[in-house]
Amino acid sequence: MKSNDWLHGFRHSSPYINTHRGRTVVLTIPGDAIAHGNFINIIHDIALLSSLGVRLVVAFGARPQIQARLDGAGVESTFVRGLRITPEAHLPLVMEAIGGLRAYLESQLSMGLVNSPMHNARIRVSSGNYVAARPVGVLDGIDFGHTGKVRRVDAEGIGRLLELGHIVLLPPMGYSPTGDAFNLSYEDVGSQVAMALKAEKLIVFIDDQGVLEADGSLIRELTTRQASERLAAGVVTGHDADLLKAACDACIKGVRRAHIISYIEDGALLSELFTRDGSGTLVSSDNYEQIRQARVEDIGGILELIQPLEEQGILVRRSREMLETEIDRFVVAERDGTIVGCAALYHYPEEGAGELSCFAVDPAYRRAGRGDELLARIEKLARGLGIHKLFVLTTQTEHWFRERGFQPTSVQSLPGPKLASYNTQRNSKVFFKLL
């Protein structure tokens, strides 16, 4: 690593630091993560986020710790539908395991050793009865005992602690007005709390880099629709499916974004929050909110995006001056202040036709469906203008457009003004689509 690499990264993280300051982020941390060797680094990163003004809620799990306590007492535990059955006789052991883990987390967040990342951190950690619960009850004839589900979240009480700068620590326990305690799933707690607080982000820690394709490659972005399709198709199974469903539920009910990241990879949390591409999988309710009309201040980002494609001969070169005069024709895909896609629509009203032009997507986001979203926005704009035929000139992306309903046509079918300016040296192929 070069001696000044940290400086470059630190400077480029500044927009993300400003974005997250004062925002609420809910972390869901499984008991397996707490038992992992990398957990001390996660603690350090939580302390750093707190020092940067991020309002933090930590919902933690305790499944392996509960299992160890039950095993130590010679008690057999049963799981049904992914939930541990908690008979009344087991509840004291469950509470001991969770209580011990909560004390351990509080001690770790209280560290302040000299020469450690938490020196002078002075973090205040608060916990309490902020989650009301109800019993799961009897399912398929099986009584789940003191296993419960989140019934209500005291968002006002948690919000007051966050205003004071406290980290709110929530165990996988809930309480009822009858005085009963219930063993909850931490992912249910994290998701429901994030919804109640209308958190900016829900962070879900797992033992993989994120949601993976069948070939093991990372899926960097999923909409809730895409994630739901994967769940319905059984592509994601087991506990990972529960976590992905929790992320989807949170996004559908008001959480802006959910992030599924690794608890094994050192720095995954900071990388996900403070770099453009992140480290794991982003789940969002709808990517259309990132597709918008271009503005003059987007020109620099558009130029940076299209320059490599111009150099490869895929796009026709455009000067800054040309973009300034034609910026109202463009739509852009924006992510965290960065332009990751663009497209332009040119109207030929006499022929009732429109040209899709300067169509570009950052390579890192092509598999996330950003191109389809840009095309859908252009088609919507075209219909609004009364355009019934959309055409595109391309030299290297023929198949992408054909897969989306564009049909080959002759150069002579182009509108008159476009035909007059057609560059025979580029020899672009022409495709059209009826709207």
Side-chain angles (χ1 to χ4, degrees), residues 5-75:
D5 279 357
W6 70 272
L7 182 61
H8 176 82
F10 192 53
R11 283 173 174 164
H12 281 76
S13 68
S14 177
Y16 302 100
I17 293 173
N18 294 331
T19 296
H20 292 106
R21 185 180 294 114
R23 302 298 178 89
T24 300
V25 174
V26 178
L27 309 176
T28 60
I29 304 178
D32 297 282
I34 298 170
H36 193 272
N38 186 52
F39 185 64
I40 187 61
N41 294 318
I42 296 176
I43 287 289
H44 293 161
D45 293 345
I46 289 173
L48 177 58
L49 291 180
S50 180
S51 71
L52 293 173
V54 181
R55 295 155 48 111
L56 293 171
V57 178
V58 178
F60 68 91
R63 285 172 187 164
Q65 292 81 5
I66 292 173
Q67 190 63 51
R69 184 67 187 90
L70 294 174
D71 291 344
V75 175

Side-chain angles (χ1 to χ4, degrees), residues 218-250:
L218 175 67
I219 302 173
R220 291 201 171 273
E221 290 190 36
L222 285 172
T223 64
T224 51
R225 174 183 54 79
Q226 292 168 333
S228 297
E229 289 172 354
R230 286 178 172 272
L231 289 169
V235 176
V236 184
T237 59
H239 189 222
D240 286 353
D242 295 334
L243 293 170
L244 183 56
K245 185 178 185 303
C248 287
D249 290 345

